[in-house]
């Protein structure tokens, strides 16, 4: 729940009251779905920030609907843990932020590169204060799996912190999750800068299809 300055209440994530009573153990909801059948060009599904020339492109991209039907409202836990469910919405790869090997620090010279996507997020939040964005962290495949998972969490949190501290994106509108080396962009076991990345998805359609201000 988010409280606006005018005392309106915005529901950020909606789950039925009895949801957690019914869930006894984790089961990936994506297992019930067929493979994703993408009927749009990949460039309209995954936006590489490196190739963005007009900041307006970020807003246009994030404002698009899911690429397939959303069957029901999902919990944040389901979205974080199910790649198949996350794949229903588009993804921005922030490959303009270059993380050094083993580091989650954003070079000060690169923080300004977040301005375009931050502006799009601000615009969407002005239209709907109930928007929720997932900030995903990733690593390359070098090193221990557990250490990479922790590092990817730190990278996602670093970007979210920068978006809050520098661009005033409210932290309650962002969720962070690290995936370690699980989803390599470049399939290699060698050090690879493109795999040391952060991605952003607008997951509002998955977790709160109907924004509420009641």
């Amino acid at each position: 729940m988010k409280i606006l300055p005018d005392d309106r209440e915005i529901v950020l994530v909606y789950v039925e009251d009895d949801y957690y009573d019914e869930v006894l153990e984790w089961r990936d909801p994506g297992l019930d779905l067929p493979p994703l059948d993408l009927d749009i060009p990949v460039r309209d599904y995954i936006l590489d920030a490196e190739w963005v020339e007009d900041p307006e492109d970020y807003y246009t991209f994030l404002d698009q609907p899911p690429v397939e039907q959303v069957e029901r409202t999902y919990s944040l836990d389901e979205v974080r843990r199910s790649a198949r469910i996350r794949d229903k919405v588009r993804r921005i790869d922030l490959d303009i932020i270059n993380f050094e090997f083993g580091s989650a620090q954003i070079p000060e010279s690169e923080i300004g590169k977040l301005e375009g996507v931050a502006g799009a997020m601000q615009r969407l939040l002005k239209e709907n204060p109930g928007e929720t964005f997932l900030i995903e962290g990733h690593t390359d495949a070098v090193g221990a799996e557990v250490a990479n998972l922790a590092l990817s969490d730190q990278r996602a949190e670093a970007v979210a912190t920068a978006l809050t501290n520098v661009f005033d994106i409210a932290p309650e509108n962002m969720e962070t999750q690290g995936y370690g080396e699980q989803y390599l962009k470049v399939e290699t076991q060698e050090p690879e800068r493109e795999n040391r990345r952060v991605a952003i998805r607008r997951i509002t359609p998955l977790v709160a299809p109907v924004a509420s201000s009641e």
Side-chain angles (χ1 to χ4, degrees), residues 77-137:
D77 188 52
E78 288 176 312
V79 174
R80 284 196 187 101
R81 298 174 68 177
S82 176
R84 179 64 183 85
I85 299 304
R86 291 193 303 278
D87 284 347
K88 288 178 173 289
V89 294
R90 300 159 209 255
R91 184 182 89 218
I92 295 176
D93 282 346
L94 291 176
D95 42 15
I96 48 177
I97 302 298
N98 294 307
F99 291 102
E100 294 299 327
F101 179 77
S103 173
Q105 182 175 357
I106 303 175
E108 188 172 345
S109 61
E110 296 195 350
I111 290 180
K113 295 179 180 179
L114 293 171
E115 183 176 4
V117 71
M121 294 168 71
Q122 290 168 339
R123 185 171 167 186
L124 287 162
L125 285 166
K126 186 175 181 179
E127 297 169 357
N128 172 23
E131 294 285 0
T132 301
F133 302 92
L134 178 65
I135 316 296
E136 304 175 4

Side-chain angles (χ1 to χ4, degrees), residues 10-14 73 128 130 204-214:
I10 301 296
V11 176
L12 297 173
V13 178
Y14 175 81
T73 301
N128 172 23
T204 315
L206 302 178
V207 298
V210 179
S212 171
S213 59
E214 298 179 355

Side-chain angles (χ1 to χ4, degrees), residues 25-43:
E25 61 182 37
W26 163 253
R27 182 179 184 278
D28 187 345
L31 296 176
D32 299 326
L33 303 177
L36 180 65
D37 183 15
L38 195 64
D39 59 1
I40 59 174
V42 173
R43 67 178 179 274

Side-chain angles (χ1 to χ4, degrees), residues 44-63:
D44 293 333
Y45 178 57
I46 300 173
L47 179 64
D48 286 321
E50 184 179 8
W51 302 108
V52 173
E53 296 182 357
D54 185 351
E56 182 73 15
D57 293 344
Y58 287 115
Y59 172 81
T60 301
F61 187 84
L62 286 173
D63 194 41

Side-chain angles (χ1 to χ4, degrees), residues 33 66-72 74 84 88 206:
L33 303 177
V67 296
E68 68 175 9
Q69 179 183 358
V70 178
E71 296 78 15
R72 63 174 174 85
Y74 293 96
R84 179 64 183 85
K88 288 178 173 289
L206 302 178

